[in-house]
Amino acid sequence: MDNLPYTVIYDELPEKSILRFSGQLIINHIEKITEAVNKLINVNKNLQIEVDNPESVDVTYIQLLLAIKATLSANGKSTEINAELKEEIQTLIKNSGFQYVLKQSN
């Protein structure tokens, strides 16, 4: 997994799981990112997603986040998404109507 243009890190704590993303979260890599998530994620625990200052984000990544959230919700679990985003990515997400998915953390 060295030298990939994206990072997916998963930590399982007693009370919840944490899934961290960074790098290029775009269609070119979404299939591999999705595979990593499917291998790692425990859908029987609440999940905290951290989006750590990605280089780029597109709608395929937003769709992945929505799918993760729907899967956990179907299992009676909650998902919290925190994002640290560059201003141009914030603008892109706002203009595409997905600001409700990726809210800037404070």
Side-chain angles (χ1 to χ4, degrees):
M1 249 165 88
D2 293 344
N3 297 323
L4 294 174
Y6 59 86
T7 304
V8 179
I9 299 171
Y10 182 76
D11 292 314
E12 200 162 304
L13 306 174
E15 68 281 3
K16 66 180 173 184
S17 299
I18 301 174
L19 186 58
R20 294 178 177 88
F21 295 98
S22 62
Q24 296 177 18
L25 308 174
I26 57 174
I27 193 168
N28 304 46
H29 312 296
I30 202 66
E31 190 174 328
K32 294 290 185 186
I33 293 169
T34 301
E35 285 175 15
V37 168
N38 288 337
K39 286 179 187 174
L40 296 170
I41 198 166
N42 178 350
V43 297
N44 297 309
K45 278 192 170 185
N46 293 332
L47 180 66
Q48 179 178 325
I49 297 175
E50 300 289 334
V51 184
D52 186 20
N53 209 11
E55 292 174 37
S56 50
V57 170
D58 69 13
V59 70
T60 61
Y61 177 70
I62 303 291
Q63 290 170 323
L64 174 62
L65 292 179
L66 290 171
I68 292 169
K69 200 169 182 175
T71 299
L72 267 79
S73 180
N75 284 298
K77 301 300 173 188
S78 66
T79 306
E80 175 187 339
I81 302 174
N82 300 309
E84 193 66 42
L85 305 170
K86 294 182 261 186
E87 190 172 332
E88 61 267 18
I89 292 177
Q90 289 178 46
T91 301
L92 173 74
I93 290 168
K94 183 179 178 186
N95 290 342
S96 65
F98 289 111
Q99 67 273 12
Y100 70 96
V101 178
L102 275 178
K103 296 177 187 165
Q104 181 74 12
S105 17
N106 293 326

